[in-house]
Amino acid sequence: MKVGYLAENYLYKRNIINIVKDVEYQKVNNLFALTYPGVKYINKIAKKTVIPFNDSIYQFTDLNLNKVDILHFFNTISYGKTPWITTFETILPRLDCTLSCHQGARPDFSVLTHYKAVKKALAAMASDSCKRLIAMSDCNANMQRILLKDFPQYQQAIEPKITTLHPPQQLLVSSYADKNINLDGKIKFILVGASFFRKGGMEVVETFSKLKREYNYDLELILISSLRLDDYATKETEADIQKAKILIQQNLDWIKYYEQLPNKEVLELTKQCHVGLLPTYADTYGFSVLEFQAAGCPVITTNIRALPEVNDNDRGWIIEVPTNYLGEAIYTTKEERLEISSAIKSGLERVVHEIFANREVVIAKSNRSIQGIKNNHSLSHYAHKMKEIYLQAL
C-alpha cells in the first residue's frame, strides 16, 4: 500500500508519516502549490491580504498524477479522485472565513453558508473520494458536526466519515521512579512553546515571581520559547515582549531560559522536571502535554478545547477559565483577556501552594499521567487503527 502525504513538518511526522508498518509513504505534489508565490507576491504588493493564503495552502489537487493508493493529509481538502483522508485539528474546511467562527462568547457557523469556497470544499468532503475525516479530539469532532448542521445538503454524507483518534505518544519513562529525581530540593517546572504569551507564559513568570517573593518557595522554572509575537488570542505587542525579557533577566537565579532547543534536548530536560506547564489561552490540542506526561511530569493546564480530554485533576491540575459552548476560551475583548489572565494566575498560585504543602502529590499524579499515555496514546494502538482506516478506504 502506498500512502501519499504533503509535507514533512512536525504535524505530519507526529500523526502520519511512517506510522503504519508495511506501508510505503510517498511525498506528493500539489498543483495548488504553484499558486503560493503569486498569492504571496500579490499580498506583499498590496500590503494587505487580497488573497487569503489559507484558501490555497489547505487545498489539494493533482489531476490524479501522483501514483499512490490513498492520500493522507493534515487539515487539507482534496478535489481529486484518488481516495483521501484528512486528520484535522479544528474544523474543515480550513479557510480564512472558517478560522474564527468558533471564537467569541456565542460562536455561529451560519455565516459560512454564504461562501462558495466553503460549499465547494464540503462537496469534496461529501464525495466518494473522501473516505475519512479524523478529528484529533472529541472537541473538534463536535465542532465539525455543529458546523454541518448549517449545511444539511452535505451533512448526511459527511457526518459518518468523522471519527476521533487522539495522537500517539511514546513513553519517555515507565514510572516516576525512572526519572531518578527527588522531591527534597527544588521543584522544577517547565514551559515549552514559541507562542509564550498565548501559552500563559507571562502569567507563569509573574505568578512565580510573586510566590518567590512572598513565600520563598524553592522552585526552578525552565522556559523554552522564542517569545514570538503571536497576536492571536492574547494580542501581545513588542512592548509586552520587552517586558517579559526584562522580567526573565531579573530572575535568572531561578529561571533557566532557552530561546530554542532541539526536540531531543527538550525531552531530556522534561525528564529532569517535576511539573509541566500549559496554562494556555488557545491551543487546538497541546502536544506538549502528551510529551510532559510521557516524561512523568503531571501538567497544569487550562480547561480549553481538547485539554480536558488529555488532562484532569487526577493526573494533573486543571485551571478553569471562561469558555464558550465549543470549549474555546472567550478572549475577543481586552476585558475577557484580563479575566482569563486573572483566572490563570490564581489557578497557578493554588496549585503551587498545593504542591509545596504536599510534595508527594507529584509522584501520584506523575504515575497516573504515565498510565494515561499508556491507555490513550499507545503508538501501536494508533498504528492499528490507522491501518484499519487505510484498508477500509481501499
Side-chain angles (χ1 to χ4, degrees):
M1 185 192 309
K2 192 177 285 188
V3 175
Y5 65 91
L6 263 181
E8 292 177 342
N9 59 35
Y10 178 78
L11 293 170
Y12 273 87
K13 288 177 180 177
R14 193 83 169 59
N15 297 280
I16 296 170
I17 304 172
N18 297 328
I19 293 290
V20 182
K21 291 179 181 178
D22 305 321
V23 163
E24 181 183 347
Y25 290 85
Q26 177 181 311
K27 191 174 180 183
V28 295
N29 296 310
N30 181 11
L31 294 181
F32 268 104
L34 299 175
T35 69
Y36 299 167
V39 170
K40 288 180 179 178
Y41 180 75
I42 291 169
N43 290 340
K44 183 179 179 181
I45 294 297
K47 295 183 178 178
K48 63 178 182 179
T49 302
V50 176
I51 304 173
F53 195 54
N54 286 311
D55 289 11
S56 295
I57 199 169
Y58 294 114
Q59 298 189 73
F60 177 88
T61 190
D62 66 348
L63 302 180
N64 305 307
L65 295 174
N66 291 292
K67 301 303 179 186
V68 295
D69 298 305
I70 189 167
L71 295 156
H72 188 175
F73 303 119
F74 196 91
N75 285 335
T76 296
I77 301 295
S78 173
Y79 297 93
K81 295 191 187 226
T82 304
W84 62 277
I85 67 176
T86 282
T87 297
F88 68 103
E89 59 184 327
T90 300
I91 54 171
L92 295 171
R94 193 175 179 86
L95 305 170
D96 247 38
C97 61
T98 67
L99 284 177
S100 59
C101 288
H102 60 287
Q103 299 169 4
R106 289 177 291 278
D108 181 12
F109 294 108
S110 63
V111 66
L112 299 178
T113 58
H114 304 296
Y115 289 89
K116 289 182 180 177
V118 173
K119 292 177 182 176
K120 180 184 175 185
L122 289 173
M125 291 160 61
S127 73
D128 289 340
S129 298
C130 174
K131 300 300 183 180
R132 195 70 68 95
L133 305 170
I134 305 172
M136 289 170 57
S137 68
D138 289 332
C139 173
N140 63 290
N142 180 53
M143 282 189 187
Q144 189 68 47
R145 292 186 180 104
I146 290 171
L147 178 150
L148 289 173
K149 288 180 181 178
D150 287 306
F151 295 90
Q153 67 271 43
Y154 304 113
Q155 184 179 15
Q156 190 173 352
I158 295 175
E159 207 164 270
K161 301 178 184 182
I162 300 171
T163 190
T164 298
L165 188 57
H166 283 267
Q169 175 62 53
Q170 287 187 316
L171 281 175
L172 301 174
V173 297
S174 59
S175 69
Y176 177 82
D178 282 355
K179 291 166 70 71
N180 200 27
I181 57 173
N182 62 54
L183 291 165
D184 299 330
K186 283 183 172 64
I187 300 295
K188 295 183 179 182
F189 298 80
I190 183 168
L191 185 146
V192 181
S195 300
F196 176 78
F197 295 90
R198 176 168 57 84
K199 293 180 183 291
M202 197 65 179
E203 284 79 9
V204 168
V205 174
E206 289 180 341
T207 303
F208 282 26
S209 297
K210 177 187 173 187
L211 291 169
K212 285 288 290 184
R213 284 194 313 269
E214 295 181 0
Y215 298 91
N216 197 30
Y217 283 144
D218 193 10
L219 61 81
E220 182 178 291
L221 174 61
I222 296 173
L223 293 176
I224 305 170
S225 177
S226 61
L227 305 181
R228 184 177 69 194
L229 191 66
D230 195 302
D231 193 35
Y232 168 35
T234 43
K235 304 295 180 186
E236 68 272 8
T237 63
E238 287 291 344
D240 293 313
I241 292 174
Q242 291 307 311
K243 180 182 175 183
K245 286 180 176 178
I246 291 169
L247 192 54
I248 291 167
Q249 285 296 318
Q250 289 173 341
N251 292 284
L252 289 178
D253 56 323
W254 57 272
I255 294 177
K256 285 188 177 179
Y257 173 65
Y258 305 88
E259 185 175 345
Q260 193 173 350
L261 285 176
N263 185 249
K264 187 176 180 181
E265 290 184 35
V266 173
L267 297 179
E268 284 303 314
L269 264 178
T270 302
K271 288 192 282 186
Q272 299 165 31
C273 293
H274 297 91
V275 178
L277 296 163
L278 189 64
T280 180
Y281 284 65
D283 264 279
T284 55
Y285 194 86
F287 286 117
S288 66
V289 174
L290 301 188
E291 291 174 344
F292 291 150
Q293 292 173 334
C297 286
V299 193
I300 306 170
T301 70
T302 48
N303 59 322
I304 66 157
R305 294 292 294 269
L307 290 175
E309 297 175 47
V310 298
N311 191 37
D312 53 38
N313 288 312
D314 189 49
R315 53 192 150 162
W317 298 268
I318 291 279
I319 297 171
E320 302 279 341
V321 301
T323 62
N324 62 31
Y325 76 98
L326 295 172
E328 185 83 356
I330 303 171
Y331 48 72
T332 48
T333 68
K334 184 178 180 180
E335 292 73 24
E336 289 165 351
R337 293 192 290 275
L338 286 172
E339 188 176 356
I340 293 171
S341 180
S342 177
I344 291 172
K345 287 178 179 178
S346 62
L348 287 168
E349 278 200 47
R350 170 181 57 81
V351 175
V352 174
H353 285 317
E354 178 188 332
I355 291 169
F356 278 94
N358 177 21
R359 294 178 180 224
E360 297 294 320
V361 72
V362 173
I363 299 175
K365 288 178 184 277
S366 169
N367 286 322
R368 287 196 286 266
S369 292
I370 292 165
Q371 191 60 47
I373 295 295
K374 288 180 183 176
N375 294 345
N376 305 317
H377 302 276
S378 158
L379 181 57
S380 61
H381 173 75
Y382 183 88
H384 176 74
K385 293 294 291 184
M386 198 61 72
K387 186 172 185 179
E388 281 186 349
I389 288 170
Y390 289 161
L391 291 173
Q392 288 167 6
L394 296 175

